[in-house]
């Protein structure tokens, strides 16, 4: 999911030692050319992590009819996978600040944890597990995505030209969503549908290796710093040694717990955090509902073929990929608040057309344009949130914003499934029109920020 975390203090040097998203920059790596190349490797790694998350999320819609058939469940019961997704993001919000303080010397360790959790979930899926375990895998996937996406967003938001790189990594997510149906639909049509997750497991191995290659030095460096801290502690008095020994053995010092709770308390008092969260709540609820149920809608209501309708969702994802690449610069140049509101109104008009025009080909084209104009929503929202949140609270704020966004991404598809179980899938369209109205309204009430220019 886009979690993702979906983060802007322009850096004054090409390379920053991102030991912790909340710590000041350490010493730059020499030589400069190698440092710049390593910085680019980290950015590409962040992009691949979003691509991998997108391939996972992009398979859910095309595979949904097969899940219903395989487990003999209703559209209402299958929505528990969205609840499991939310549970993963919710746990990440509770633990994000503690990870930041406990692993304060290693951004890479947190990214590695996120990549590992996603790989575990795919390994549990591809052998046709029982429904209960299958649902649990969505929890592990979303928890891993939450850690990796949130901290990748934080890292990317600190580099020069951050708005372009945010556009890039979120475009990679849409590219993954575009790729997902091309993986899932032919595999499900010609073989066993759950073999799709074997391919996802292979991508998960690459994601894990990529993180270690790009951030491995951060991980190893953090271990050296922790050993140095332990040696320094040995020179202190007995009482201090006992405290430091507790830190070494448990990994969590009372002072760090206190710091974490203080950061959470400060963050929840920020009005801007709640207003941005409201936008992500409705936005993610809208797009996840649309992409998750569009195939079922086109098959049941418009009479499309299941083997071909799975590709329709690729139109939205392809449009989103181009939108995040091509609209990043005009959105930044003419103002994120103004342009995203214009895009949202356009999406509302397109969604109304999709509802009222009963033509599958026309629907596919409209769905593609819908993705194009909705594409900049997530990176622009991340950019605005980063500008509105104080640097000291940025990680905690973004974690809260993303979990509330995922709450919408879990709640509205679930409500749609429950209503569809009684009234039919035709209710999807009026629900989506109403959600786009709420997207427009929630973006409009976000506070204005001064336009920041890159140094």
């Amino acid at each position: 999911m886009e979690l993702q975390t979906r983060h802007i203090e322009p850096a004054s040097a090409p390379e920053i030692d991102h030991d912790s998203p909340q710590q000041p920059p350490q010493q730059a790596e020499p030589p400069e050319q190698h440092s710049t190349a390593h910085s680019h490797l980290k950015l590409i790694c962040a992009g691949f992590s979003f691509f991998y998350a997108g391939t996972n999320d992009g398979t859910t819609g095309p595979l949904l009819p097969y899940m219903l058939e395989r487990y003999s469940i209703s559209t209402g019961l299958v929505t528990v996978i969205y609840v499991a997704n939310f549970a993963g993001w919710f746990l990440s919000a509770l633990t994000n600040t503690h990870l930041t303080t406990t692993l304060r010397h290693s951004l890479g360790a947190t990214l590695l944890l996120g990549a590992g959790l996603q790989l575990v979930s795919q390994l549990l899926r591809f052998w046709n597990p029982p429904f209960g375990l299958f649902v649990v895998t969505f929890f592990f996937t979303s928890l891993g995505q939450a850690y990796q996406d949130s901290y990748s967003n934080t890292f990317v938001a600190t580099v020069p030209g951050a708005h372009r790189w945010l556009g890039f990594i979120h475009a990679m997510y849409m590219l993954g969503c575009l790729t997902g149906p091309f993986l899932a639909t032919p595999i499900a049509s010609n073989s066993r549908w759950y073999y799709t997750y074997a391919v996802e497991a292979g991508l998960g191995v690459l994601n894990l290796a990529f993180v270690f290659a790009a951030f491995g030095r951060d991980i190893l460096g953090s271990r050296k710093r922790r050993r140095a801290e332990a040696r320094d502690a040995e020179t202190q008095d007995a009482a201090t040694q006992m405290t430091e020994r507790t830190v070494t053995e448990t990994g969590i010092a009372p002072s760090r717990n206190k710091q974490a709770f203080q950061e959470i308390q400060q963050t929840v008092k920020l009005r801007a955090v709640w207003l941005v969260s409201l936008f992500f709540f409705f936005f993610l609820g809208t797009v996840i509902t649309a992409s998750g149920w569009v195939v079922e809608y086109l098959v049941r209501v418009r009479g499309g073929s299941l083997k071909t309708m799975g590709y329709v969702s690729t139109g939205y994802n392809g449009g989103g990929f181009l939108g995040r690449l091509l609209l990043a610069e005009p959105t930044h140049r003419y103002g994120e608040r103004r342009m995203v509101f214009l895009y949202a109104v356009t999406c509302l008009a397109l969604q109304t057309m999709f509802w009222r025009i009963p033509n599958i080909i026309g629907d596919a084209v409209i769905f593609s344009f819908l993705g194009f104009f909705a594409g900049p929503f997530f990176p622009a929202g991340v950019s605005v949130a980063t500008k509105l949140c104080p640097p000291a609270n940025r990680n905690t704020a973004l974690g809260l914003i993303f979990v509330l966004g995922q709450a919408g991404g879990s709640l509205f598809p679930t409500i749609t499934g429950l209503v569809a179980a009684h009234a039919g899938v035709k209710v999807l369209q009026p629900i989506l029109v109403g959600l786009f109205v709420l997207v427009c309204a929630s973006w409009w009430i976000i506070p204005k920020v001064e336009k920041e220019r890159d140094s």
Side-chain angles (χ1 to χ4, degrees), residues 31-68:
E32 183 177 352
Q33 182 177 0
H34 176 73
S35 177
T36 302
H38 191 66
S39 179
H40 288 163
L41 177 62
K42 291 181 176 182
L43 290 168
I44 295 172
C45 173
F48 185 81
S49 71
F50 275 81
F51 171 79
Y52 175 50
T55 61
N56 174 82
D57 296 349
T59 62
T60 302
L63 293 181
L64 193 61
Y66 297 95
M67 297 177 195
L68 295 171

Side-chain angles (χ1 to χ4, degrees), residues 90-103:
F90 182 74
L91 180 61
S92 76
L94 296 179
T95 57
N96 240 339
T97 304
H98 292 281
L99 279 176
T100 301
T101 54
T102 304
L103 301 177

Side-chain angles (χ1 to χ4, degrees), residues 29 50 84 363 370 452:
E29 300 176 58
F50 275 81
D363 289 343
L370 191 66
E452 295 185 1

Side-chain angles (χ1 to χ4, degrees), residues 320-335:
F321 171 68
L322 293 176
R324 291 183 176 183
L325 285 181
L326 301 179
L327 297 179
E329 195 61 38
T331 301
H332 177 72
R333 181 180 298 272
Y334 297 109

Side-chain angles (χ1 to χ4, degrees), residues 145-179:
Q145 285 182 355
Y147 288 147
Q148 195 171 12
D149 291 4
S150 297
Y151 284 85
S152 293
N153 269 310
T154 303
F155 164 71
V156 173
T158 63
V159 302
H163 70 281
R164 299 184 186 94
W165 284 109
L166 284 171
F168 164 72
I169 65 172
H170 291 290
M172 291 299 293
Y173 174 82
M174 295 307 299
L175 181 62
C177 291
L178 175 64
T179 305

